[in-house]
Amino acid sequence: MICKKMSEDLMTQAFIDGTWTSGGGGVFDVFDPATGHPIAQVADCSVEDVKKAIDAAEKAFETWKLKTPKERAAVLLAIRDSLLQNKDFIATTLTRENGKPKTEALGEVGFAASFFEWFAEEGKRQYGETVPSPVPSKRYMTIRQPVGVAALITPWNFPIGMIARKVAAALAAGCTCVLKPAEDTPLTALILAKICQDAGVPSGVVNVIPCSRIRVQEIGGILCHSPKVKALSFTGSTVVGQWIYSQCGQTVKKLSLELGGDAPFIVFPTADLGAAVQGAMASKFRNTGQTCVTANRIFIHESIHDEFVKCFAATMEKELKMGSGLEPGVTQGPIINKRQHERLVNLVKEAIASGANLVCGGSSPGGLYYTPTILTGITPEMPISKEEIFGPVAPIMKFSTEEEVIKLANMSQRGLAGYFYSNNISQVWRVAEALEVGMIGINEPMVSTCEAPFGGIKFSGLGKEGSKHGLDDFSNLKLLVFGV
């Protein structure tokens, strides 16, 4: 299929059963967090719209599941090609509704495309097994089959990356989708719907149902409670994930939950200090600190604490530039919305009032911006060391021993990602095995790629996305036993 460049008109209607529709709930505004100005009015889907989307997906599943993996792969590769062909338009739209620097948005589009390529190939490798029989009269084998309709609920911080990771896996496995994007960033999701339509995805296979914040719980409840929805994949906060977990029990769905993080970032005395500073920069300030795997608690050994803080602050001053993500050279955009901005301001104020030292930043220069901030003297009792910060604030704690910092790192109920820097090989093995997280960067701040499993433990969720394991939550393993 030849990939053509799409129109750069924004899509603002819901996409249900291959048709663009205004829906039954009116419209809601989508804002540019950099300016506070509205970008577009988007269809606010009603309960009836969601039910229509589920019905369309259920009907489409009957034919989509019969497509061969090779046939589905051709469609996924066409989506990949269109994402790359239209990456500038997608990235600009993403930056306008999300606020992240356009350079990061362009990278995210490439990241999204990689999942369609990966799962196009991985779908061909959903192998079954032959099982050695315990008796001469039987033969055992297993096959993989798609579960059916998959509900996908995605966050605002990676408006195309998180969607691609779910949609690509679901389609490759043979499932159909009902996608509810975050209310802050529906425009990027609707571009993907248009790309899917142009790429030849059959009607009803991918449905996109945006809704306003006031309808989120109602719409989410329908997706959780519908017996026609056989799997649900959610990325978002732990609190919402817990609610979804409880609601899906009635219909015993397959669940994939990628929830909040509280990543420890540990620097031991044997570490390369320059590499550790650059790692902290990459982990902490990507997307203005608004990622689930960001360095949320930074632990520095007491022997190198002061030097690290000095180098870290100097690097921040040199490399970080705040402003609209569409401006050249900007590395730090705005916080996504007023609610998150106020929460961040209060977290820093509480920490300072409790005895934290403000090294740099700590101010809001206007709008939804917040200056990149370092706080030292943080203690485990402070709220900022217990909550997911989701902003450009680096809280730093001293530690004395390996045993002490492992205990501090594992105090969190969440366990998504963790990072540590050390050049002691024995320590590397000990710490990697001791940290209670699903993913660890060892002398490395970037852990996510389509080829590797992504997911946490404890209150950070269930299941894995990406890698060969990304198909598991969208397929059932069936045993076949033959009498001979």
Side-chain angles (χ1 to χ4, degrees):
M1 181 179 293
I2 298 175
C3 173
K4 296 181 179 180
K5 195 166 184 179
M6 65 190 298
S7 166
E8 295 193 357
D9 295 328
L10 292 176
M11 312 304 295
T12 59
Q13 294 181 305
F15 186 65
I16 300 173
D17 200 13
T19 301
W20 296 95
T21 175
S22 299
V27 296
F28 66 98
D29 290 324
V30 178
F31 293 92
D32 181 344
T35 64
H37 299 151
I39 304 169
Q41 290 188 320
V42 173
D44 193 0
C45 286
S46 66
V47 168
E48 288 305 312
D49 296 324
V50 179
K51 291 179 178 178
K52 288 177 183 178
I54 293 171
D55 288 343
E58 184 184 44
K59 180 180 178 182
F61 176 65
E62 294 306 313
T63 52
W64 182 250
K65 70 180 181 180
L66 299 178
K67 298 286 186 183
T68 66
K70 189 173 183 179
E71 289 174 318
R72 293 196 290 261
V75 176
L76 266 65
L77 291 174
I79 296 172
R80 175 205 62 183
D81 292 345
S82 188
L83 283 168
L84 296 176
Q85 176 72 15
N86 296 285
K87 65 180 180 180
D88 191 76
F89 169 54
I90 299 169
T92 299
T93 303
L94 194 160
T95 293
R96 290 180 67 197
E97 65 177 350
N98 169 276
K100 70 174 58 178
K102 189 176 176 181
T103 52
E104 289 190 21
L106 286 166
E108 186 180 336
V109 177
F111 180 69
S114 75
F115 283 98
F116 285 97
E117 178 177 335
W118 171 260
F119 282 115
E121 298 303 322
E122 202 61 25
K124 301 173 187 177
R125 300 180 180 88
Q126 271 204 299
Y127 301 127
E129 300 173 311
T130 55
V131 181
S133 177
V135 293
S137 61
K138 296 180 183 180
R139 300 293 182 269
Y140 294 81
M141 67 177 292
T142 64
I143 59 173
R144 284 275 180 185
Q145 293 182 303
V147 299
V149 177
L152 312 175
I153 303 176
T154 55
W156 50 261
N157 58 340
F158 290 94
I160 192 72
M162 297 301 96
I163 289 173
R165 192 151 65 184
K166 298 179 189 299
V167 170
L171 296 187
C175 296
T176 54
C177 307
V178 178
L179 167 65
K180 192 212 81 63
E183 65 273 15
D184 288 304
T185 56
L187 297 172
T188 308
L190 293 169
I191 292 175
L192 181 64
K194 177 61 176 172
I195 285 174
C196 288
Q197 184 182 38
D198 293 347
V201 176
S203 296
V205 171
V206 174
N207 305 272
V208 181
I209 48 165
C211 73
S212 63
R213 184 170 180 80
I214 61 172
R215 293 182 187 271
V216 165
Q217 187 167 350
E218 182 180 39
I219 299 306
I222 296 296
L223 297 174
C224 291
H225 299 152
S226 173
K228 297 178 181 179
V229 174
K230 303 301 183 182
L232 190 149
S233 180
F234 169 76
T235 297
S237 73
T238 296
V239 170
V240 175
Q242 289 170 318
W243 179 81
I244 287 174
Y245 197 1
S246 69
Q247 297 300 304
C248 286
Q250 299 174 28
T251 48
V252 196
K253 300 186 194 309
K254 277 210 162 195
L255 269 180
S256 173
L257 301 173
E258 194 265 282
L259 309 179
D262 191 11
F265 186 101
I266 306 168
V267 184
F268 290 101
T270 62
D272 179 325
L273 193 65
V277 168
Q278 287 300 322
M281 291 289 294
S283 178
K284 180 69 259 184
F285 296 111
R286 183 168 62 113
N287 196 17
T288 319
Q290 298 173 109
T291 81
C292 55
V293 293
T294 187
N296 206 57
R297 297 168 295 151
I298 300 176
F299 300 96
I300 310 297
H301 190 269
E302 60 187 6
S303 66
I304 57 172
H305 174 274
D306 293 350
E307 185 180 0
F308 177 91
V309 172
K310 180 181 177 181
C311 293
F312 191 32
T315 305
M316 288 168 58
E317 176 67 25
K318 179 181 178 182
E319 297 184 4
L320 300 183
K321 178 184 177 182
M322 192 165 53
S324 167
L326 296 175
E327 296 175 7
V330 165
T331 64
Q332 300 296 287
I335 303 303
I336 185 65
N337 55 42
K338 184 178 180 180
R339 185 177 65 258
Q340 292 288 347
H341 184 270
E342 289 178 349
R343 177 180 168 276
L344 181 65
V345 169
N346 289 332
L347 272 176
V348 174
K349 285 182 177 178
E350 288 175 358
I352 293 172
S354 299
N357 304 308
L358 179 64
V359 176
C360 62
S363 65
S364 181
L368 296 179
Y369 292 97
Y370 197 83
T371 54
T373 299
I374 295 177
L375 296 171
T376 60
I378 299 296
T379 66
E381 294 75 29
M382 294 178 183
I384 201 166
S385 65
K386 298 177 181 178
E387 297 186 26
E388 194 171 19
I389 297 169
F390 249 62
V393 177
I396 297 178
M397 294 181 239
K398 287 183 182 180
F399 72 92
S400 300
T401 67
E402 179 183 315
E403 293 75 18
E404 175 195 9
V405 77
I406 293 297
K407 183 177 180 180
L408 288 169
N410 288 342
M411 284 175 64
S412 177
Q413 290 182 316
R414 296 181 293 277
L416 186 56
Y419 311 87
F420 69 91
Y421 281 69
S422 171
N423 283 322
N424 179 326
I425 190 63
S426 296
Q427 183 176 63
V428 164
W429 279 107
R430 290 194 305 270
V431 176
E433 292 181 355
L435 287 177
E436 296 173 355
V437 295
M439 302 171 287
I440 298 178
I442 304 167
N443 298 324
E444 171 57 50
M446 308 296 282
V447 297
S448 184
T449 180
C450 65
E451 296 87 354
F454 187 99
I457 60 174
K458 302 199 288 190
F459 282 25
S460 287
L462 305 168
K464 297 292 182 181
E465 295 187 315
S467 79
K468 66 178 183 179
H469 303 289
L471 294 170
D472 293 349
D473 289 319
F474 298 106
S475 63
N476 291 319
L477 185 66
K478 180 182 283 186
L479 172 66
L480 308 181
V481 182
F482 296 85
V484 296

